[in-house]
Amino acid sequence: MPKLFSSSSSSPPNHLLCLFFLFLLSNAVAAAAATTQRFKEAPKFYNSPECPSLTTNSTAADDVNGMCSYKAVHVAMTLDAAYLRGSMAAILSVLQHSSCPENIRFHFVSSSSADAVALRQTISISFPYLKFQIYPFDDLAVSGLISTSIRAALDCPLNYARNYLAEVLPQCVHRVVYLDSDLVLVDDISKLAATPLGDKAVLAAPEYCNANFTSYFTPSFWSNPTLSLTFSGRKACYFNTGVMVIDLERWRAGDYTTKIVEWMELQKRMRIYELGSLPPFLLVFAGNIAPVDHRWNQHGLGGDNFRGLCRNLHSGPVSLLHWSGKGKPWARLDANRPCPLDALWAPYDLLQTPFSLES
């Protein structure tokens, strides 16, 4: 029997074909999940009398709904089928605890291959009053820069969209709060958005200087003086990129997207880290960020990146709960194996259950 592919054939080998079809299948499953999920309409939340009226810093005629207003709180998030349920809960939590919810403008970034019409319809049905825009992200442009990490979910190109916010969002947006989709706020986001950045800082985030910073990079990185000296003169500490306040004007002026991309290109040539999109941020910004109180990112509630075991809150007050790590609260609740803290996420879940659909 002849071989399907000879050694000189230009056709791809079987294992690559299998990987390709698995990729198509996973996309199809995600798309099916997006079309089968139905979400309830959230209540409308109103501004308190003290809220400022919004003015715009743009003369553009297409500045619809004050998306350029410098008095608005601008929130950026990614949208995809796999995490849509988490995104809906996060949006609700932001609005519910805001003193000026009508002054919040949401900027959603989704893959250019995603069904933007379906995503827009889903958001509009649950939040018919929400002022938002959806921006396409060319995931093919970044996919060639991604190196495999310790968990497949971390290799999704949309995880890297935060690197490109300064290019994807309108130039008139000067400051934005970036939020992951696996979190909920229990405090007013305007407090976080008002974090002072000082004279030079490009972004602000809670720092965790007790974490073992060296573990985020490989021995090859630390043994190479040319590379490890990048942290010289910096008190470099770990920070979680799922909650950040970013000055987009300073980012653009400093061309920080290019700086991050250069580290990703080096990673493709010699492996200097293991953990997805986080290390390039640490390489560029660690030790040079504005501090934020730890209450604004009680992270790690999803457990470690391998087992997703239950975790407790860190000591101190809580303004934001973040299920970073492998375990997501909606998945554990559906499997009837919730962690104790998943009960704090459940009240924000807008998923329409089959029972309520029948009702």
Side-chain angles (χ1 to χ4, degrees), residues 25 33 41 47 60 64 69 72 84 94 122 161 173 233 236 250 252 261 267 283 286 299 321 348 359:
L25 179 61
E41 181 176 337
N47 280 357
V64 181
S69 174
L84 185 57
V94 169
T122 298
V173 179
R250 292 179 182 177
R252 293 167 183 134
V261 167
Q267 164 76 352
L283 287 160
H299 69 288
L321 300 106
Y348 303 98
S359 301

Side-chain angles (χ1 to χ4, degrees), residues 201-224:
V202 176
L203 62 85
E207 291 183 292
Y208 302 88
C209 293
N210 292 329
N212 181 9
F213 189 79
T214 59
S215 65
Y216 291 97
F217 302 95
T218 63
S220 298
F221 173 86
W222 292 114
S223 63
N224 187 324

Side-chain angles (χ1 to χ4, degrees), residues 102-295:
E102 295 175 278
N103 287 6
I104 300 175
R105 298 296 181 266
F106 282 87
H107 303 266
F108 299 119
V109 182
S110 67
S111 168
S112 55
S113 60
D115 188 343
V117 174
L119 290 172
R120 177 177 294 278
Q121 184 178 32
T122 298
I123 299 293
S124 298
I125 289 174
S126 289
F127 305 99
Y129 46 81
L130 197 68
K131 304 298 189 296
F132 71 94
Q133 186 59 264
I134 298 178
Y135 309 90
F137 176 67
D138 184 5
D139 44 13
L140 289 178
V142 73
S143 59
L145 294 170
I146 298 174
S147 302
T148 55
S149 60
I150 60 175
R151 185 160 62 92
L154 299 176
D155 299 337
C156 172
L158 200 58
N159 284 340
Y160 293 81
R162 71 195 82 186
N163 300 0
Y164 300 87
L165 290 177
E167 287 78 28
V168 174
L169 269 57
Q171 295 288 308
C172 61
V173 179
H174 295 167
R175 175 183 282 222
V176 69
V177 178
Y178 173 81
L179 299 175
D180 271 353
S181 298
D182 52 358
L183 55 78
V184 294
L185 277 79
V186 292
D187 202 344
D188 194 336
I189 195 172
S190 64
K191 300 176 186 176
L192 176 60
T195 300
L197 294 178
D199 296 330
K200 296 181 179 179
V202 176
L203 62 85
E207 291 183 292
Y208 302 88
C209 293
N210 292 329
N212 181 9
F213 189 79
T214 59
S215 65
Y216 291 97
F217 302 95
T218 63
S220 298
F221 173 86
W222 292 114
S223 63
N224 187 324
T226 305
L227 299 179
S228 58
L229 281 175
T230 190
F231 293 116
S232 177
R234 290 198 260 166
K235 186 183 177 182
C237 297
Y238 161 76
F239 65 92
N240 181 277
T241 54
V243 179
M244 297 184 289
V245 181
I246 305 175
D247 187 315
L248 296 177
E249 283 190 302
R250 292 179 182 177
W251 184 295
R252 293 167 183 134
D255 195 15
Y256 284 97
T257 297
T258 298
K259 291 177 171 64
I260 290 176
V261 167
E262 286 173 349
W263 283 111
M264 293 175 67
E265 289 173 340
L266 178 62
Q267 164 76 352
K268 295 292 288 186
R269 299 196 298 271
M270 58 178 294
R271 198 163 183 85
I272 59 174
Y273 55 79
E274 304 289 351
L275 192 65
S277 61
L278 169 65
F281 261 85
L282 297 180
L283 287 160
V284 174
F285 293 111
N288 290 325
I289 69 173
V292 176
D293 192 279
H294 289 182
R295 69 189 300 156

